[in-house]
Amino acid sequence: YGPINSVVVANFISGFVSTSINYYTHHRWTFKSEQDHSKSGSRYLLNLIFWWVVSTLSIKALIVLEIDPRIAKLLPILFIAPINYFVLNHIVFKKKS
């Protein structure tokens, strides 16, 4: 944030860099994918957006139900993480047949 003096730009850059590193490490090491980046990259972004929406709506619903926001932030991870791993492994970075 300091060098740019813009929260919006700093947050965009950090999100872009972290998402790129996450994609690359999943593609290369976690799932050892042989998929073309054009296929797995677009699937990865769609998956990322989908789970961000699910997570955000879940957190909002839990807060409306008067769950402490710190707890509400953690609860969706319990069901999202295992399902997301399955989706990444079998759809986004699936092995070539």
Side-chain angles (χ1 to χ4, degrees):
Y1 166 71
I4 317 170
N5 206 23
S6 169
V7 172
V8 173
V9 174
N11 195 42
F12 176 80
I13 291 170
S14 69
F16 179 80
V17 170
S18 64
T19 299
S20 299
I21 291 169
N22 190 287
Y23 168 79
Y24 178 76
T25 57
H26 277 333
H27 188 277
R28 182 162 174 104
W29 291 298
T30 307
F31 301 106
K32 295 179 173 68
S33 180
E34 298 170 355
Q35 290 284 322
D36 295 331
H37 290 292
S38 60
K39 289 182 182 179
S40 61
S42 57
R43 289 181 190 151
Y44 180 80
L45 286 175
L46 287 172
N47 182 62
L48 183 73
I49 292 165
F50 173 79
W51 287 116
W52 177 81
V53 169
V54 170
S55 175
T56 301
L57 293 174
S58 299
I59 293 166
K60 176 67 175 168
L62 291 168
I63 290 172
V64 167
L65 293 172
E66 298 184 7
I67 304 291
D68 183 302
R70 293 170 291 189
I71 302 297
K73 174 72 173 153
L74 296 174
L75 289 177
I77 294 170
L78 297 174
F79 73 91
I80 290 174
I83 297 169
N84 187 40
Y85 180 84
F86 180 84
V87 170
L88 288 173
N89 194 29
H90 295 286
I91 297 173
V92 175
F93 298 114
K94 69 181 176 181
K95 304 282 188 234
K96 290 184 178 178
S97 303

